[in-house]
Amino acid sequence: MDNKKIKNLSWQTIVAMVTLLAIIGLSLYIRIKLPYERIFVDGEIWFRGTDPYYFIRHIENAVQNFPHINTFDPYKVFPYGGSVLAQPFFVFLGGGLALLLTLGSATPHTVAMIGAYIPPVLGTLTIVAVYFIGKELFNRWAGLISAALLTVLPGEFLSRSLLGFTDHHVVDSFLFTVAMLFFIMAIRRAREREISLDNLLQRDWSIITRPLVYSLIGGAFLGMHILSWKGVLLLIFILFIYLVIQSILDYFSQKPNMALCVVSIPYFLIAFIIYLPYMSRLGSASLYSISLLVVMLISLLLYFLSRFMMQKGIKSVYYLPVLVSLALLGLVSLRIINPSLLSAMLARFNPFIPGRAALTIQEMQPLLYPFGKFSWDIAWFSFTTSFFLSFVAIGLLVHDVLRRQMHDRLLFLIWSIATLAAALAQRRFGDYFTINVALLMGYISWRLMILAGIKKLHNRVVKTVESVDISRVENENSQQEKMKMGKGGHIHRWETWLRVIIAGIIIFLLVFFPSVGLPGIKPGTMLFGHSVNLMGHPLEFK
């Protein structure tokens, strides 16, 4: 890359980083400053909801006994008590931060204060992770749009990342997002380098190192997520479906790629190692073990199956029947060896069909059928227009994958469909789907900007930067360049500018404005006057 390209990239990086810092500042302002006076009242800390008090009590206990945490709560199912914290990562995080930030001298008040700040900080870090996912999948500008929208979208994610909502939900969203980010980065680097079995056997570290490092980091976050919430099985399921579909696509394109194995095996192995010490405490330990084992090995099995069939000249028409046969054989074997485990695995899909008892719990209500009645209200107050536009964006992604052969977006497509299905089944998954909504809107918004001609303006800005740089070195050449520009007309044609400006206004009105101002309500009231809590009711910030 020559010096000109390096300088052109540098100004883009500077603009993107400054914008990202502004988004971070806005996120912290919304999540800390606006609710501040409702949380810190007369020297006391008033947490949002009842669950935060429960977690703060366990965090205080962890501070006094770190690294040991309470495993029995005498107040649970009073007067008998009960076991608690099967997945204790959030309590470890809160207790560890309290000890670290106070240098080991944490008081109950400082523990509560640190606990109150955890949600907005992790919520903002999740927004940063979303920027990098958007950058990986599309480009930095789509990532910035996604991060900006996630900052202001009302609903589950915003409510759970506000000051004082000291609960495990925002930790789950953060770990889920970062684990997905590093898996995407690892897969893209491995597939771009076309890692082969020879690279592994010859230990070609120049090719292997970066994807392997990303995989290990992502696996560490997955391991922490397993210790955070049982909903981690959704992430494991998404990655399993992706690995299967991508392996099938690779086979039919006659390019079985070792990249999936290089990434997935260490990714799930490190997660397994992290959760292994707590295996006896997890009620579904066998379920996690078999899930990680299956996903860890599926890409390896499909890779060697593809190579075997290609080397033997077996017709491609037999590939899918062989896969189905192997899957059925595996299920039958599991049914014979451990029928209770198979039942437990199938029971994990019950949230998509909530029963009668589950329907009495607010967060387990279907998104569009709260209390058995169809309504758009919860979807609207959680996602506004982005909920409806997300279906358009998913349709465009399907077109990209099937017609344009952009398989690097396949994982994002599967991820979006899975979280949409989960959110439709239960509102509690709305914070997960909010991440996808923001990314989908960044994707569709940038496509609209490209359609309007923003790439032309970008190229002309690059030329302008080059001409300015030349002027610093050779003044005479700069004068000639200016004369040429003058003869050829303005460097930015006003028609292109007009289209881009109109597209920007449309994006703001359709995507951003509904999150900061709704029809019949003053602009900004939705965000700066109200937020939607877990029950769907407005909370005023006075």
Side-chain angles (χ1 to χ4, degrees), residues 403-511:
R403 300 296 296 275
R404 300 172 65 190
Q405 300 296 307
M406 301 177 75
H407 294 166
D408 57 332
R409 297 178 181 178
L410 174 63
L411 174 57
F412 179 54
L413 174 61
I414 297 170
W415 175 20
S416 299
I417 293 174
T419 52
L420 171 60
L424 289 174
Q426 290 189 20
R427 289 173 54 188
R428 66 164 61 172
F429 292 103
D431 52 346
Y432 282 0
F433 184 54
T434 305
I435 306 297
N436 292 86
V437 166
L439 288 165
L440 288 167
M441 292 305 98
Y443 163 66
I444 198 173
S445 297
W446 190 249
R447 284 197 62 157
L448 180 59
M449 295 296 286
I450 291 175
L451 188 64
I454 196 168
K455 277 194 172 181
K456 295 179 182 179
L457 295 181
H458 172 268
N459 294 334
R460 288 168 182 165
V461 169
V462 170
K463 290 180 181 179
T464 302
V465 172
E466 289 180 357
S467 65
V468 171
D469 182 64
I470 292 172
S471 69
R472 294 174 181 172
V473 181
E474 299 180 12
N475 200 26
E476 292 182 1
N477 291 343
S478 173
Q479 294 298 328
Q480 294 175 4
E481 184 68 20
K482 290 180 181 179
M483 290 175 64
K484 291 179 182 179
M485 289 165 53
K487 292 178 182 179
H490 296 291
I491 196 166
H492 303 304
R493 295 179 58 186
W494 67 268
E495 297 95 338
T496 307
W497 272 111
L498 182 61
R499 288 197 300 270
V500 170
I501 291 172
I502 292 174
I505 293 173
I506 292 173
I507 291 170
F508 175 77
L509 292 177
L510 283 181
V511 178

Side-chain angles (χ1 to χ4, degrees), residues 212-276:
L212 184 60
V213 169
Y214 289 152
S215 177
L216 293 173
I217 295 174
F221 278 96
L222 175 61
M224 289 184 280
H225 194 9
I226 294 175
L227 299 179
S228 176
W229 188 45
K230 60 184 179 182
V232 68
L233 290 172
L234 176 63
L235 173 57
I236 297 174
F237 176 74
I238 291 169
L239 297 179
F240 171 78
I241 296 298
Y242 165 73
L243 291 171
V244 171
I245 295 178
Q246 187 62 66
S247 297
I248 293 172
L249 292 175
D250 288 344
Y251 171 76
F252 283 107
S253 63
Q254 298 297 300
K255 293 180 180 178
N257 200 323
M258 194 67 186
L260 297 179
C261 305
V262 172
V263 171
S264 62
I265 292 176
Y267 184 87
F268 292 104
L269 179 61
I270 195 68
F272 181 84
I273 293 172
I274 289 174
Y275 112 93
L276 192 60

Side-chain angles (χ1 to χ4, degrees), residues 31 53 159 173 203 232 482:
R31 287 163 170 78
Y53 289 96
S159 180
S173 298
R203 300 178 184 179
V232 68
K482 290 180 181 179

Side-chain angles (χ1 to χ4, degrees), residues 93-259:
L93 176 66
L97 285 175
L99 290 172
L100 178 65
L101 295 177
T102 62
L103 300 179
S105 59
T107 64
H109 181 76
T110 56
V111 169
M113 180 177 293
I114 291 170
Y117 278 99
I118 288 176
V121 172
L122 287 183
T124 301
L125 290 176
T126 305
I127 291 169
V128 175
V130 164
Y131 160 73
F132 284 104
I133 291 176
K135 182 182 176 184
E136 282 292 318
L137 293 174
F138 312 114
N139 56 54
R140 70 185 77 203
W141 312 116
L144 287 173
I145 295 172
S146 302
L149 181 61
L150 185 59
T151 300
V152 300
L153 268 175
E156 305 289 345
F157 180 76
L158 175 59
S159 180
R160 291 171 172 179
S161 60
L162 288 173
L163 181 73
F165 197 87
T166 309
D167 205 334
H168 68 89
H169 296 294
V170 71
V171 180
D172 302 334
S173 298
F174 170 72
L175 295 175
F176 188 109
T177 306
V178 176
M180 188 64 80
L181 166 64
F182 280 101
F183 188 86
I184 291 171
M185 294 173 69
I187 282 291
R188 289 202 64 183
R189 300 305 181 278
R191 292 182 67 86
E192 286 170 359
R193 300 176 184 209
E194 297 183 346
I195 293 178
S196 64
L197 187 59
D198 291 338
N199 296 135
L200 295 177
L201 296 177
Q202 296 173 7
R203 300 178 184 179
D204 193 346
W205 298 113
S206 61
I207 295 178
I208 299 171
T209 300
R210 182 170 293 186
L212 184 60
V213 169
Y214 289 152
S215 177
L216 293 173
I217 295 174
F221 278 96
L222 175 61
M224 289 184 280
H225 194 9
I226 294 175
L227 299 179
S228 176
W229 188 45
K230 60 184 179 182
V232 68
L233 290 172
L234 176 63
L235 173 57
I236 297 174
F237 176 74
I238 291 169
L239 297 179
F240 171 78
I241 296 298
Y242 165 73
L243 291 171
V244 171
I245 295 178
Q246 187 62 66
S247 297
I248 293 172
L249 292 175
D250 288 344
Y251 171 76
F252 283 107
S253 63
Q254 298 297 300
K255 293 180 180 178
N257 200 323
M258 194 67 186

Side-chain angles (χ1 to χ4, degrees), residues 23 72 82 144 272 356 390 392 418 508 530:
I23 292 171
F72 182 84
L144 287 173
F272 181 84
R356 292 180 180 179
S390 64
V392 178
F508 175 77
H530 299 80

